[in-house]
Amino acid sequence: MSNDHTHDQPSDPALQVKALESLLVEKGYVDPAALDALVDAYENKIGPHVGARVVAHAWLDPDFKRALLTDAKSALAGLGITGWRSANLIALENTPGVHNLVVCTLCSCYPWSVLGLPPTWYKSAPFRSRAVIDPRGVLGEFGVELPEDMEIRVWDSTAELRYLVVPQRPPGSDGLSEGALAALVTRDSMIGTGLARAPGAAAQEEAPA
Ligand code: FE
């Protein structure tokens, strides 16, 4: 790429974003401080660690778990987790008999407030179509082998309704602190494409983002 032509549009995405931001600020459409706060939120505050904390709390506190499964938004508000705008949230509990898997067949609806930004595969056409047609096959590709008699329920997210899976608490996790339990709760386990880690298991790479 040549830099001879100084009047060319910047081709680097970061430069383009910077140029766009400068223009929006200059025109008075956005407040730079608000933009900084937004970027900071998605980089540092919002992410799967939020959902992991919720799951660990539910594992330890049966009353909270009941509240979470009954009215997730209110239960999360009690933990100071808000920001849902109009979308509702339903928490789905995995049990020895039922495994829940979340997809958005239409686009990429995702519970951002508890899981952060969706992984690339979540938005991919193969995942969106095959999760519904062949959930067991898709889970196998994620390395999740479930007993034959376990029911798999697939939930289709929409703009109005998002889902958070509460994975089963792994065996051998008795006596762990909430923080230690939260470390076992992977992003994928809250989408249903993974299981919670066993205590002491090396932190495994999640499916490619
Ligand atoms: Fe969607």
Side-chain angles (χ1 to χ4, degrees):
M1 200 168 300
S2 163
N3 285 324
D4 295 340
H5 305 282
T6 50
H7 296 291
D8 276 355
Q9 291 292 328
S11 55
D12 181 316
L15 284 178
Q16 292 184 349
V17 168
K18 194 70 215 162
L20 186 60
E21 181 185 335
S22 301
L23 191 64
L24 291 170
V25 169
E26 187 186 308
K27 299 275 184 191
Y29 292 131
V30 300
D31 169 5
L35 274 185
D36 288 346
L38 208 59
V39 170
D40 178 57
Y42 279 101
E43 278 188 352
N44 302 313
K45 299 196 176 98
I46 302 171
H49 61 281
V50 176
R53 182 180 139 226
V54 171
V55 170
H57 198 57
W59 283 345
L60 287 175
D61 181 343
D63 290 336
F64 175 76
K65 184 163 93 175
R66 207 170 302 120
L68 180 69
L69 297 174
T70 306
D71 181 352
K73 261 172 110 168
S74 299
L76 292 186
L79 293 183
I81 302 166
T82 55
W84 294 97
R85 298 172 186 272
S86 59
N88 204 354
L89 178 75
I90 290 182
L92 308 162
E93 185 184 21
N94 284 351
T95 66
V98 176
H99 181 89
N100 295 286
L101 173 63
V102 177
V103 65
C104 175
T105 57
L106 202 61
C107 41
S108 58
C109 298
Y110 191 73
W112 290 36
S113 298
V114 275
L115 295 190
L117 300 170
T120 306
W121 54 258
Y122 185 84
K123 298 179 270 187
S124 74
F127 176 74
R128 284 161 40 210
S129 57
R130 292 194 49 239
V132 178
I133 300 165
D134 178 21
R136 204 170 275 276
V138 167
L139 288 178
E141 284 162 26
F142 278 91
V144 177
E145 301 289 347
L146 299 175
E148 274 304 315
D149 58 352
M150 187 181 276
E151 181 190 347
I152 301 173
R153 292 186 190 154
V154 180
W155 302 80
D156 194 358
S157 309
T158 67
E160 290 79 33
L161 191 51
R162 316 289 166 97
Y163 299 98
L164 172 72
V165 175
V166 178
Q168 289 194 80
R169 184 169 169 170
S173 61
D174 292 356
L176 293 184
S177 68
E178 189 167 311
L181 287 172
L184 305 176
V185 183
T186 63
R187 177 196 66 201
D188 288 7
S189 74
M190 294 180 281
I191 302 173
T193 52
L195 305 176
R197 272 185 207 120
Q204 296 199 329
E205 284 293 311
E206 300 216 310

